[in-house]
Amino acid sequence: MGARAWGVGFTRGPLRAVAHRAGHGYKRDVGDNGVGFGEGFRRILETWNDPRIGERIDRLSRANLNAFGFDPFGYSPDYLKRVLPAVAVFYRHYFRVETHHIDRVPTEGRALFVANHSGQLPVDGAMIGTSLLLDLEPPRILRAMVERWVPTLPHASVFMSRCGQVVGTPENCRALLEDDEAILVFPEGSAGISKTYDRRYQLQRFGYGFMRLALEMKAPIIPVAVVGAEEQAVSLYDWRAAARLVGAPAFPITPLTPLLGPLGILPMPVKYHLLFGEPLTFVGDPNDEDGRVGRHVRHVKNAIRGLIEEGLRVRKGVFS
Amino acid sequence: MSQVVLVTGISGRFGRLLTRHLHRTHTVLGIDRRPFPEAPRDVTLYRDDIRSRKTEDVFRTHRIDTVIHLNVMHNPREMGEGAHRFNLVGTRQILEHCERYHVQKLIVLSTANLYGAGPDTQRYLAEDAPLLGGSRSALGRDLVELDMLCSAFFWQHPEVETAILRPVHIVGTVLNGPSNYLRLPRLPVLWGFDPLLQLIHEEDVCAAVLAAMTPGARGVFNVAGPPSVPLTEVVRRTGKPRVVVPHLLWGPLMKRMFSAGLWSFPADQLDHLRYSCMVDDSRVRRELRFTPAYDLDATLEPFRGGPPGAASRRS
């Protein structure tokens, strides 16, 4: 890829001034492509010190918090306020996340976000969650469902629970939807996130649990497509034996593995596109046979597939 | 004629506390192997094992209206045949006596630890949640079985009004895991873990037991105090220094120290320093009109700062 992929878009030239003046409310010009090192650093500092980020956390609903500012799952807006500037730096300047159709996201009431999963490390979930905090009006907290072994990891357990993430058991999902929260699930699970590069943007088998949950709780489903995450870590081969040995769901070998070892799965600065679909409402018996529930699941899967295709069409390159 | 209340395990710290609340308004009988030197005069104390024949004599000779069963070993130093038999056989006998001698009311103090703290523990467990806390230790299994025994009794004998209370971590003068933990001069926390905790003051547990004595109160009740808060916040509010320990090193070491009597925090409650286990107490608030009187700072008051070592020697 040439200069075009690395450093164009409306962040450079006369269009940038227009974009700036048009000022999409909170969102400034998208991305840092093609700025000098000093300018880039200045912008990172600006995001880091941006008081508006804290203000947006203050505007989040505090309905389900107890007297000490914690919700039943350990989520704490005060903690989130402290870490969000760092996440925002990654969101705006490293992955330069661009959202599409975020106006389709319901700003209140229960909602089940369903997204494709990719990128070896679960950055996609973090970026979807951050987009609702930084780019949605009014901001909203999204509760991502994580694997059961995450709380067994030191520090990760505290970080994930304080930021509002929850272990993805059916009981927890039900409790959150009951409280009219928005939750995020990846029905592909680890099959999606650890797939090799040759299967990029191919949706893996979807679990049916999320659909039964949506039917039971009468929660609208918001399909989300993440475009860009597939290229953040290029897995050439999934070394299953090694994965079993260390107890991980996958052991991806990337082009950077010979150089960096296990750190080869760290994400490269790809550009993220997040595409939100129209909310879908399904009615039916949550305990119905797989065949009938499967039809609804395929409907959601097709919606996500459509959004992925749209994202691949609108993006100019992997890094821009 | 005042009601006759039999308290098993009356000489424990919690039994004594409860007696002080009860003896003016009720006729209190007590059974315990341990002495209760400063017992109020109007309390009749039987120094017996609850498994002995004499215990049945107490039931036979008095018309007992209410039995409050506290005589359960929650944190024995060595877990062996002794504690197992004491807890299960003793409780079974008490249940049989309650049935045979037409006791109207039975209150059992179980614990919310039975739900078990694990990485995927669901949040705000209701009374019907599975009791998974027994998978780690023999004692845990016994306590789960004990709770089940009483629940079965509740269903099989509707003529006895049975209330099973499952309070969260009780803190105060009692000698249980959480209180012993808070009495340590330096509070150990696990590196990289900060679970949410629910604490309840012992006086509030007393109030819950008294609330459960009202006619009509039956079933299983989770009892909780002030809202849940992270462990580090609890430590901060006690004003004591905190020691950060990696859990891999911590677990085996603590188990040894506990069984050797060098350490007063029971090792099987280690999971509660790592994972959250919180209960939904809406049922007790709604049906028994119970509201905890002590807020978090009042609950932690006895453990505040102080000279290191002074408090921990007691245990």
PDB file of all heavy atoms in Angstrom, chain A residues 66 68 70-73 148 151-152 154-155 157-158 162 167 171, chain B residues 119-120 122-124 191-194 196 227-228 230 237 274-275 278:
ATOM      1  N   ASN A  66     -25.023   1.578  44.056  1.00  0.00           N
ATOM      2  CA  ASN A  66     -25.370   1.663  45.477  1.00  0.00           C
ATOM      3  C   ASN A  66     -24.785   2.933  46.087  1.00  0.00           C
ATOM      4  O   ASN A  66     -24.180   3.756  45.392  1.00  0.00           O
ATOM      5  CB  ASN A  66     -24.929   0.396  46.220  1.00  0.00           C
ATOM      6  CG  ASN A  66     -23.422   0.265  46.335  1.00  0.00           C
ATOM      7  OD1 ASN A  66     -22.687   1.234  46.191  1.00  0.00           O
ATOM      8  ND2 ASN A  66     -22.956  -0.940  46.588  1.00  0.00           N
ATOM      9  N   PHE A  68     -22.222   3.571  47.662  1.00  0.00           N
ATOM     10  CA  PHE A  68     -20.787   3.774  47.522  1.00  0.00           C
ATOM     11  C   PHE A  68     -20.362   3.922  46.059  1.00  0.00           C
ATOM     12  O   PHE A  68     -19.173   3.961  45.758  1.00  0.00           O
ATOM     13  CB  PHE A  68     -20.019   2.620  48.170  1.00  0.00           C
ATOM     14  CG  PHE A  68     -20.305   2.468  49.624  1.00  0.00           C
ATOM     15  CD1 PHE A  68     -21.046   1.401  50.088  1.00  0.00           C
ATOM     16  CD2 PHE A  68     -19.861   3.417  50.534  1.00  0.00           C
ATOM     17  CE1 PHE A  68     -21.323   1.266  51.438  1.00  0.00           C
ATOM     18  CE2 PHE A  68     -20.143   3.288  51.875  1.00  0.00           C
ATOM     19  CZ  PHE A  68     -20.878   2.221  52.335  1.00  0.00           C
ATOM     20  N   PHE A  70     -21.009   1.746  43.484  1.00  0.00           N
ATOM     21  CA  PHE A  70     -20.715   0.502  42.766  1.00  0.00           C
ATOM     22  C   PHE A  70     -22.011  -0.184  42.383  1.00  0.00           C
ATOM     23  O   PHE A  70     -22.985  -0.125  43.126  1.00  0.00           O
ATOM     24  CB  PHE A  70     -19.898  -0.443  43.652  1.00  0.00           C
ATOM     25  CG  PHE A  70     -18.526   0.061  43.927  1.00  0.00           C
ATOM     26  CD1 PHE A  70     -18.293   0.875  45.019  1.00  0.00           C
ATOM     27  CD2 PHE A  70     -17.480  -0.231  43.088  1.00  0.00           C
ATOM     28  CE1 PHE A  70     -17.023   1.369  45.275  1.00  0.00           C
ATOM     29  CE2 PHE A  70     -16.215   0.249  43.324  1.00  0.00           C
ATOM     30  CZ  PHE A  70     -15.986   1.058  44.432  1.00  0.00           C
ATOM     31  N   ASP A  71     -22.013  -0.817  41.256  1.00  0.00           N
ATOM     32  CA  ASP A  71     -23.188  -1.602  40.896  1.00  0.00           C
ATOM     33  C   ASP A  71     -22.936  -3.057  41.297  1.00  0.00           C
ATOM     34  O   ASP A  71     -21.845  -3.386  41.752  1.00  0.00           O
ATOM     35  CB  ASP A  71     -23.533  -1.388  39.411  1.00  0.00           C
ATOM     36  CG  ASP A  71     -22.983  -2.465  38.510  1.00  0.00           C
ATOM     37  OD1 ASP A  71     -21.911  -2.989  38.845  1.00  0.00           O
ATOM     38  OD2 ASP A  71     -23.600  -2.769  37.502  1.00  0.00           O
ATOM     39  N   PRO A  72     -23.948  -3.925  41.195  1.00  0.00           N
ATOM     40  CA  PRO A  72     -23.777  -5.300  41.689  1.00  0.00           C
ATOM     41  C   PRO A  72     -22.597  -6.035  41.057  1.00  0.00           C
ATOM     42  O   PRO A  72     -22.088  -6.986  41.625  1.00  0.00           O
ATOM     43  CB  PRO A  72     -25.084  -5.981  41.310  1.00  0.00           C
ATOM     44  CG  PRO A  72     -26.071  -4.892  41.197  1.00  0.00           C
ATOM     45  CD  PRO A  72     -25.331  -3.680  40.771  1.00  0.00           C
ATOM     46  N   PHE A  73     -22.169  -5.598  39.885  1.00  0.00           N
ATOM     47  CA  PHE A  73     -21.101  -6.317  39.195  1.00  0.00           C
ATOM     48  C   PHE A  73     -19.742  -5.660  39.421  1.00  0.00           C
ATOM     49  O   PHE A  73     -18.759  -6.040  38.812  1.00  0.00           O
ATOM     50  CB  PHE A  73     -21.409  -6.402  37.705  1.00  0.00           C
ATOM     51  CG  PHE A  73     -22.674  -7.157  37.439  1.00  0.00           C
ATOM     52  CD1 PHE A  73     -23.888  -6.500  37.385  1.00  0.00           C
ATOM     53  CD2 PHE A  73     -22.640  -8.516  37.268  1.00  0.00           C
ATOM     54  CE1 PHE A  73     -25.054  -7.200  37.171  1.00  0.00           C
ATOM     55  CE2 PHE A  73     -23.804  -9.226  37.051  1.00  0.00           C
ATOM     56  CZ  PHE A  73     -25.013  -8.571  37.008  1.00  0.00           C
ATOM     57  N   ARG A 148     -15.217 -16.648  31.374  1.00  0.00           N
ATOM     58  CA  ARG A 148     -15.254 -16.974  32.797  1.00  0.00           C
ATOM     59  C   ARG A 148     -13.892 -16.949  33.472  1.00  0.00           C
ATOM     60  O   ARG A 148     -13.797 -16.828  34.684  1.00  0.00           O
ATOM     61  CB  ARG A 148     -15.837 -18.381  32.977  1.00  0.00           C
ATOM     62  CG  ARG A 148     -17.319 -18.389  32.885  1.00  0.00           C
ATOM     63  CD  ARG A 148     -17.813 -19.799  32.633  1.00  0.00           C
ATOM     64  NE  ARG A 148     -19.120 -19.733  32.023  1.00  0.00           N
ATOM     65  CZ  ARG A 148     -20.231 -20.137  32.618  1.00  0.00           C
ATOM     66  NH1 ARG A 148     -20.186 -20.643  33.806  1.00  0.00           N
ATOM     67  NH2 ARG A 148     -21.373 -20.036  32.006  1.00  0.00           N
ATOM     68  N   PRO A 151     -11.928 -13.229  35.409  1.00  0.00           N
ATOM     69  CA  PRO A 151     -11.826 -12.804  36.812  1.00  0.00           C
ATOM     70  C   PRO A 151     -10.764 -13.544  37.607  1.00  0.00           C
ATOM     71  O   PRO A 151     -10.448 -13.148  38.718  1.00  0.00           O
ATOM     72  CB  PRO A 151     -13.212 -13.124  37.389  1.00  0.00           C
ATOM     73  CG  PRO A 151     -14.086 -13.256  36.229  1.00  0.00           C
ATOM     74  CD  PRO A 151     -13.261 -13.754  35.108  1.00  0.00           C
ATOM     75  N   THR A 152     -10.204 -14.619  37.073  1.00  0.00           N
ATOM     76  CA  THR A 152      -9.156 -15.316  37.820  1.00  0.00           C
ATOM     77  C   THR A 152      -7.791 -14.662  37.608  1.00  0.00           C
ATOM     78  O   THR A 152      -6.826 -15.027  38.261  1.00  0.00           O
ATOM     79  CB  THR A 152      -9.055 -16.795  37.402  1.00  0.00           C
ATOM     80  OG1 THR A 152      -8.609 -16.845  36.046  1.00  0.00           O
ATOM     81  CG2 THR A 152     -10.387 -17.501  37.513  1.00  0.00           C
ATOM     82  N   PRO A 154      -5.122 -11.711  37.972  1.00  0.00           N
ATOM     83  CA  PRO A 154      -4.934 -10.524  38.808  1.00  0.00           C
ATOM     84  C   PRO A 154      -4.969  -9.247  37.963  1.00  0.00           C
ATOM     85  O   PRO A 154      -4.551  -9.256  36.806  1.00  0.00           O
ATOM     86  CB  PRO A 154      -3.557 -10.745  39.446  1.00  0.00           C
ATOM     87  CG  PRO A 154      -2.922 -11.857  38.713  1.00  0.00           C
ATOM     88  CD  PRO A 154      -3.987 -12.635  38.029  1.00  0.00           C
ATOM     89  N   HIS A 155      -5.447  -8.190  38.514  1.00  0.00           N
ATOM     90  CA  HIS A 155      -5.574  -6.876  37.896  1.00  0.00           C
ATOM     91  C   HIS A 155      -6.597  -6.830  36.771  1.00  0.00           C
ATOM     92  O   HIS A 155      -7.441  -5.945  36.749  1.00  0.00           O
ATOM     93  CB  HIS A 155      -4.225  -6.325  37.410  1.00  0.00           C
ATOM     94  CG  HIS A 155      -3.299  -6.061  38.550  1.00  0.00           C
ATOM     95  ND1 HIS A 155      -3.521  -5.066  39.446  1.00  0.00           N
ATOM     96  CD2 HIS A 155      -2.187  -6.717  38.974  1.00  0.00           C
ATOM     97  CE1 HIS A 155      -2.583  -5.092  40.379  1.00  0.00           C
ATOM     98  NE2 HIS A 155      -1.764  -6.094  40.124  1.00  0.00           N
ATOM     99  N   SER A 157      -9.013  -8.709  36.501  1.00  0.00           N
ATOM    100  CA  SER A 157     -10.313  -8.903  37.144  1.00  0.00           C
ATOM    101  C   SER A 157     -10.861  -7.582  37.667  1.00  0.00           C
ATOM    102  O   SER A 157     -12.033  -7.265  37.471  1.00  0.00           O
ATOM    103  CB  SER A 157     -10.176  -9.897  38.291  1.00  0.00           C
ATOM    104  OG  SER A 157      -9.369  -9.366  39.310  1.00  0.00           O
ATOM    105  N   VAL A 158     -10.002  -6.793  38.302  1.00  0.00           N
ATOM    106  CA  VAL A 158     -10.457  -5.518  38.848  1.00  0.00           C
ATOM    107  C   VAL A 158     -10.780  -4.555  37.713  1.00  0.00           C
ATOM    108  O   VAL A 158     -11.834  -3.919  37.693  1.00  0.00           O
ATOM    109  CB  VAL A 158      -9.381  -4.909  39.775  1.00  0.00           C
ATOM    110  CG1 VAL A 158      -9.856  -3.581  40.328  1.00  0.00           C
ATOM    111  CG2 VAL A 158      -9.067  -5.856  40.908  1.00  0.00           C
ATOM    112  N   ARG A 162     -14.558  -3.051  37.170  1.00  0.00           N
ATOM    113  CA  ARG A 162     -14.774  -1.632  37.445  1.00  0.00           C
ATOM    114  C   ARG A 162     -15.200  -0.866  36.193  1.00  0.00           C
ATOM    115  O   ARG A 162     -15.876   0.145  36.273  1.00  0.00           O
ATOM    116  CB  ARG A 162     -13.514  -0.990  38.017  1.00  0.00           C
ATOM    117  CG  ARG A 162     -13.082  -1.502  39.360  1.00  0.00           C
ATOM    118  CD  ARG A 162     -14.013  -1.101  40.476  1.00  0.00           C
ATOM    119  NE  ARG A 162     -13.565  -1.696  41.727  1.00  0.00           N
ATOM    120  CZ  ARG A 162     -13.912  -2.895  42.144  1.00  0.00           C
ATOM    121  NH1 ARG A 162     -14.752  -3.628  41.438  1.00  0.00           N
ATOM    122  NH2 ARG A 162     -13.453  -3.389  43.270  1.00  0.00           N
ATOM    123  N   VAL A 167     -18.911 -11.179  33.657  1.00  0.00           N
ATOM    124  CA  VAL A 167     -18.750 -12.555  33.186  1.00  0.00           C
ATOM    125  C   VAL A 167     -20.045 -12.985  32.491  1.00  0.00           C
ATOM    126  O   VAL A 167     -21.140 -12.788  33.029  1.00  0.00           O
ATOM    127  CB  VAL A 167     -18.431 -13.491  34.361  1.00  0.00           C
ATOM    128  CG1 VAL A 167     -18.378 -14.930  33.897  1.00  0.00           C
ATOM    129  CG2 VAL A 167     -17.118 -13.096  34.991  1.00  0.00           C
ATOM    130  N   GLU A 171     -27.329 -15.950  33.717  1.00  0.00           N
ATOM    131  CA  GLU A 171     -27.942 -15.245  34.860  1.00  0.00           C
ATOM    132  C   GLU A 171     -27.529 -13.780  34.872  1.00  0.00           C
ATOM    133  O   GLU A 171     -28.351 -12.892  35.105  1.00  0.00           O
ATOM    134  CB  GLU A 171     -27.525 -15.881  36.195  1.00  0.00           C
ATOM    135  CG  GLU A 171     -28.005 -17.291  36.425  1.00  0.00           C
ATOM    136  CD  GLU A 171     -27.039 -18.307  35.849  1.00  0.00           C
ATOM    137  OE1 GLU A 171     -25.931 -17.915  35.423  1.00  0.00           O
ATOM    138  OE2 GLU A 171     -27.403 -19.498  35.807  1.00  0.00           O
TER     139      GLU A 171
ATOM    140  N   PRO B 119     -15.169 -17.221  40.277  1.00  0.00           N
ATOM    141  CA  PRO B 119     -15.067 -16.248  39.176  1.00  0.00           C
ATOM    142  C   PRO B 119     -16.396 -16.002  38.465  1.00  0.00           C
ATOM    143  O   PRO B 119     -16.617 -14.916  37.939  1.00  0.00           O
ATOM    144  CB  PRO B 119     -14.040 -16.879  38.238  1.00  0.00           C
ATOM    145  CG  PRO B 119     -13.936 -18.299  38.650  1.00  0.00           C
ATOM    146  CD  PRO B 119     -14.276 -18.353  40.101  1.00  0.00           C
ATOM    147  N   ASP B 120     -17.277 -16.987  38.421  1.00  0.00           N
ATOM    148  CA  ASP B 120     -18.530 -16.786  37.700  1.00  0.00           C
ATOM    149  C   ASP B 120     -19.732 -16.812  38.629  1.00  0.00           C
ATOM    150  O   ASP B 120     -20.840 -17.112  38.202  1.00  0.00           O
ATOM    151  CB  ASP B 120     -18.679 -17.815  36.575  1.00  0.00           C
ATOM    152  CG  ASP B 120     -18.572 -19.238  37.118  1.00  0.00           C
ATOM    153  OD1 ASP B 120     -18.237 -19.387  38.291  1.00  0.00           O
ATOM    154  OD2 ASP B 120     -18.819 -20.163  36.346  1.00  0.00           O
ATOM    155  N   GLN B 122     -22.857 -15.668  40.282  1.00  0.00           N
ATOM    156  CA  GLN B 122     -23.802 -14.670  39.807  1.00  0.00           C
ATOM    157  C   GLN B 122     -23.992 -13.608  40.873  1.00  0.00           C
ATOM    158  O   GLN B 122     -23.655 -13.820  42.038  1.00  0.00           O
ATOM    159  CB  GLN B 122     -25.119 -15.315  39.396  1.00  0.00           C
ATOM    160  CG  GLN B 122     -26.127 -15.456  40.502  1.00  0.00           C
ATOM    161  CD  GLN B 122     -27.279 -16.323  40.063  1.00  0.00           C
ATOM    162  OE1 GLN B 122     -27.105 -17.493  39.808  1.00  0.00           O
ATOM    163  NE2 GLN B 122     -28.456 -15.758  40.012  1.00  0.00           N
ATOM    164  N   ARG B 123     -24.490 -12.433  40.484  1.00  0.00           N
ATOM    165  CA  ARG B 123     -24.516 -11.330  41.420  1.00  0.00           C
ATOM    166  C   ARG B 123     -25.843 -11.247  42.135  1.00  0.00           C
ATOM    167  O   ARG B 123     -26.877 -11.541  41.564  1.00  0.00           O
ATOM    168  CB  ARG B 123     -24.238 -10.034  40.683  1.00  0.00           C
ATOM    169  CG  ARG B 123     -22.853  -9.970  40.101  1.00  0.00           C
ATOM    170  CD  ARG B 123     -21.808 -10.342  41.163  1.00  0.00           C
ATOM    171  NE  ARG B 123     -20.451 -10.128  40.688  1.00  0.00           N
ATOM    172  CZ  ARG B 123     -19.565 -11.093  40.514  1.00  0.00           C
ATOM    173  NH1 ARG B 123     -19.887 -12.341  40.742  1.00  0.00           N
ATOM    174  NH2 ARG B 123     -18.361 -10.798  40.095  1.00  0.00           N
ATOM    175  N   TYR B 124     -25.789 -10.810  43.404  1.00  0.00           N
ATOM    176  CA  TYR B 124     -26.967 -10.689  44.238  1.00  0.00           C
ATOM    177  C   TYR B 124     -27.790 -11.962  44.222  1.00  0.00           C
ATOM    178  O   TYR B 124     -28.881 -12.040  43.667  1.00  0.00           O
ATOM    179  CB  TYR B 124     -27.780  -9.453  43.844  1.00  0.00           C
ATOM    180  CG  TYR B 124     -27.123  -8.209  44.335  1.00  0.00           C
ATOM    181  CD1 TYR B 124     -26.992  -7.090  43.551  1.00  0.00           C
ATOM    182  CD2 TYR B 124     -26.603  -8.169  45.601  1.00  0.00           C
ATOM    183  CE1 TYR B 124     -26.348  -5.950  44.012  1.00  0.00           C
ATOM    184  CE2 TYR B 124     -25.958  -7.046  46.079  1.00  0.00           C
ATOM    185  CZ  TYR B 124     -25.835  -5.949  45.280  1.00  0.00           C
ATOM    186  OH  TYR B 124     -25.202  -4.855  45.756  1.00  0.00           O
ATOM    187  N   TRP B 191      -2.870  -9.700  45.586  1.00  0.00           N
ATOM    188  CA  TRP B 191      -2.324  -8.876  44.524  1.00  0.00           C
ATOM    189  C   TRP B 191      -3.224  -8.942  43.282  1.00  0.00           C
ATOM    190  O   TRP B 191      -3.432 -10.020  42.734  1.00  0.00           O
ATOM    191  CB  TRP B 191      -0.920  -9.375  44.197  1.00  0.00           C
ATOM    192  CG  TRP B 191      -0.242  -8.640  43.111  1.00  0.00           C
ATOM    193  CD1 TRP B 191       0.285  -7.382  43.176  1.00  0.00           C
ATOM    194  CD2 TRP B 191       0.016  -9.111  41.789  1.00  0.00           C
ATOM    195  NE1 TRP B 191       0.837  -7.051  41.972  1.00  0.00           N
ATOM    196  CE2 TRP B 191       0.695  -8.084  41.108  1.00  0.00           C
ATOM    197  CE3 TRP B 191      -0.266 -10.306  41.117  1.00  0.00           C
ATOM    198  CZ2 TRP B 191       1.098  -8.204  39.775  1.00  0.00           C
ATOM    199  CZ3 TRP B 191       0.127 -10.421  39.794  1.00  0.00           C
ATOM    200  CH2 TRP B 191       0.803  -9.382  39.143  1.00  0.00           C
ATOM    201  N   GLY B 192      -3.761  -7.794  42.909  1.00  0.00           N
ATOM    202  CA  GLY B 192      -4.545  -7.727  41.686  1.00  0.00           C
ATOM    203  C   GLY B 192      -5.992  -8.142  41.837  1.00  0.00           C
ATOM    204  O   GLY B 192      -6.683  -8.321  40.843  1.00  0.00           O
ATOM    205  N   PHE B 193      -6.470  -8.292  43.075  1.00  0.00           N
ATOM    206  CA  PHE B 193      -7.882  -8.651  43.262  1.00  0.00           C
ATOM    207  C   PHE B 193      -8.533  -7.687  44.243  1.00  0.00           C
ATOM    208  O   PHE B 193      -7.902  -7.267  45.212  1.00  0.00           O
ATOM    209  CB  PHE B 193      -8.028 -10.085  43.779  1.00  0.00           C
ATOM    210  CG  PHE B 193      -7.615 -11.111  42.769  1.00  0.00           C
ATOM    211  CD1 PHE B 193      -6.341 -11.654  42.801  1.00  0.00           C
ATOM    212  CD2 PHE B 193      -8.489 -11.508  41.773  1.00  0.00           C
ATOM    213  CE1 PHE B 193      -5.955 -12.580  41.859  1.00  0.00           C
ATOM    214  CE2 PHE B 193      -8.101 -12.432  40.833  1.00  0.00           C
ATOM    215  CZ  PHE B 193      -6.833 -12.972  40.875  1.00  0.00           C
ATOM    216  N   ASP B 194      -9.746  -7.342  43.981  1.00  0.00           N
ATOM    217  CA  ASP B 194     -10.454  -6.415  44.854  1.00  0.00           C
ATOM    218  C   ASP B 194     -11.955  -6.709  44.789  1.00  0.00           C
ATOM    219  O   ASP B 194     -12.710  -6.000  44.137  1.00  0.00           O
ATOM    220  CB  ASP B 194     -10.163  -4.983  44.406  1.00  0.00           C
ATOM    221  CG  ASP B 194     -10.649  -3.986  45.434  1.00  0.00           C
ATOM    222  OD1 ASP B 194     -10.990  -4.405  46.545  1.00  0.00           O
ATOM    223  OD2 ASP B 194     -10.682  -2.788  45.108  1.00  0.00           O
ATOM    224  N   LEU B 196     -15.965  -7.238  45.735  1.00  0.00           N
ATOM    225  CA  LEU B 196     -16.956  -6.511  46.527  1.00  0.00           C
ATOM    226  C   LEU B 196     -17.341  -7.368  47.730  1.00  0.00           C
ATOM    227  O   LEU B 196     -17.434  -8.591  47.631  1.00  0.00           O
ATOM    228  CB  LEU B 196     -18.211  -6.236  45.696  1.00  0.00           C
ATOM    229  CG  LEU B 196     -18.066  -5.279  44.523  1.00  0.00           C
ATOM    230  CD1 LEU B 196     -19.428  -5.007  43.917  1.00  0.00           C
ATOM    231  CD2 LEU B 196     -17.421  -3.987  44.918  1.00  0.00           C
ATOM    232  N   PRO B 227     -24.619  -1.423  51.981  1.00  0.00           N
ATOM    233  CA  PRO B 227     -24.371  -1.823  50.594  1.00  0.00           C
ATOM    234  C   PRO B 227     -22.958  -2.383  50.396  1.00  0.00           C
ATOM    235  O   PRO B 227     -22.053  -2.081  51.188  1.00  0.00           O
ATOM    236  CB  PRO B 227     -24.519  -0.513  49.818  1.00  0.00           C
ATOM    237  CG  PRO B 227     -25.253   0.403  50.693  1.00  0.00           C
ATOM    238  CD  PRO B 227     -25.041  -0.020  52.087  1.00  0.00           C
ATOM    239  N   SER B 228     -22.798  -3.183  49.347  1.00  0.00           N
ATOM    240  CA  SER B 228     -21.516  -3.824  49.103  1.00  0.00           C
ATOM    241  C   SER B 228     -20.460  -2.801  48.709  1.00  0.00           C
ATOM    242  O   SER B 228     -20.753  -1.815  48.032  1.00  0.00           O
ATOM    243  CB  SER B 228     -21.659  -4.879  48.023  1.00  0.00           C
ATOM    244  OG  SER B 228     -22.431  -4.376  46.973  1.00  0.00           O
ATOM    245  N   PRO B 230     -15.921  -2.480  47.810  1.00  0.00           N
ATOM    246  CA  PRO B 230     -14.709  -3.264  47.556  1.00  0.00           C
ATOM    247  C   PRO B 230     -13.884  -3.464  48.822  1.00  0.00           C
ATOM    248  O   PRO B 230     -13.897  -2.620  49.716  1.00  0.00           O
ATOM    249  CB  PRO B 230     -13.933  -2.405  46.554  1.00  0.00           C
ATOM    250  CG  PRO B 230     -14.867  -1.415  46.043  1.00  0.00           C
ATOM    251  CD  PRO B 230     -15.939  -1.232  47.048  1.00  0.00           C
ATOM    252  N   ARG B 237     -10.986   2.232  55.140  1.00  0.00           N
ATOM    253  CA  ARG B 237     -11.793   2.815  56.216  1.00  0.00           C
ATOM    254  C   ARG B 237     -11.378   2.348  57.601  1.00  0.00           C
ATOM    255  O   ARG B 237     -11.662   3.021  58.577  1.00  0.00           O
ATOM    256  CB  ARG B 237     -13.273   2.495  55.990  1.00  0.00           C
ATOM    257  CG  ARG B 237     -13.873   3.383  54.919  1.00  0.00           C
ATOM    258  CD  ARG B 237     -15.299   3.011  54.635  1.00  0.00           C
ATOM    259  NE  ARG B 237     -15.737   3.714  53.430  1.00  0.00           N
ATOM    260  CZ  ARG B 237     -16.783   4.542  53.398  1.00  0.00           C
ATOM    261  NH1 ARG B 237     -17.477   4.759  54.473  1.00  0.00           N
ATOM    262  NH2 ARG B 237     -17.115   5.136  52.276  1.00  0.00           N
ATOM    263  N   ARG B 274     -10.795 -12.940  47.032  1.00  0.00           N
ATOM    264  CA  ARG B 274     -10.455 -12.949  45.618  1.00  0.00           C
ATOM    265  C   ARG B 274     -11.674 -12.686  44.737  1.00  0.00           C
ATOM    266  O   ARG B 274     -11.614 -11.906  43.800  1.00  0.00           O
ATOM    267  CB  ARG B 274      -9.850 -14.312  45.275  1.00  0.00           C
ATOM    268  CG  ARG B 274      -9.132 -14.329  43.977  1.00  0.00           C
ATOM    269  CD  ARG B 274      -8.338 -15.615  43.825  1.00  0.00           C
ATOM    270  NE  ARG B 274      -7.832 -15.712  42.472  1.00  0.00           N
ATOM    271  CZ  ARG B 274      -7.408 -16.837  41.923  1.00  0.00           C
ATOM    272  NH1 ARG B 274      -7.414 -17.941  42.605  1.00  0.00           N
ATOM    273  NH2 ARG B 274      -6.980 -16.848  40.686  1.00  0.00           N
ATOM    274  N   TYR B 275     -12.773 -13.347  45.073  1.00  0.00           N
ATOM    275  CA  TYR B 275     -13.976 -13.215  44.253  1.00  0.00           C
ATOM    276  C   TYR B 275     -15.139 -12.673  45.086  1.00  0.00           C
ATOM    277  O   TYR B 275     -15.176 -12.856  46.288  1.00  0.00           O
ATOM    278  CB  TYR B 275     -14.378 -14.571  43.687  1.00  0.00           C
ATOM    279  CG  TYR B 275     -13.305 -15.250  42.899  1.00  0.00           C
ATOM    280  CD1 TYR B 275     -12.827 -16.496  43.273  1.00  0.00           C
ATOM    281  CD2 TYR B 275     -12.748 -14.633  41.790  1.00  0.00           C
ATOM    282  CE1 TYR B 275     -11.835 -17.117  42.564  1.00  0.00           C
ATOM    283  CE2 TYR B 275     -11.747 -15.256  41.066  1.00  0.00           C
ATOM    284  CZ  TYR B 275     -11.298 -16.494  41.453  1.00  0.00           C
ATOM    285  OH  TYR B 275     -10.313 -17.114  40.745  1.00  0.00           O
ATOM    286  N   MET B 278     -22.153 -11.992  46.634  1.00  0.00           N
ATOM    287  CA  MET B 278     -23.083 -11.065  47.268  1.00  0.00           C
ATOM    288  C   MET B 278     -24.496 -11.605  47.178  1.00  0.00           C
ATOM    289  O   MET B 278     -24.863 -12.255  46.215  1.00  0.00           O
ATOM    290  CB  MET B 278     -23.000  -9.712  46.593  1.00  0.00           C
ATOM    291  CG  MET B 278     -21.681  -9.038  46.861  1.00  0.00           C
ATOM    292  SD  MET B 278     -21.588  -7.507  45.998  1.00  0.00           S
ATOM    293  CE  MET B 278     -21.661  -8.070  44.316  1.00  0.00           C
TER     294      MET B 278
END
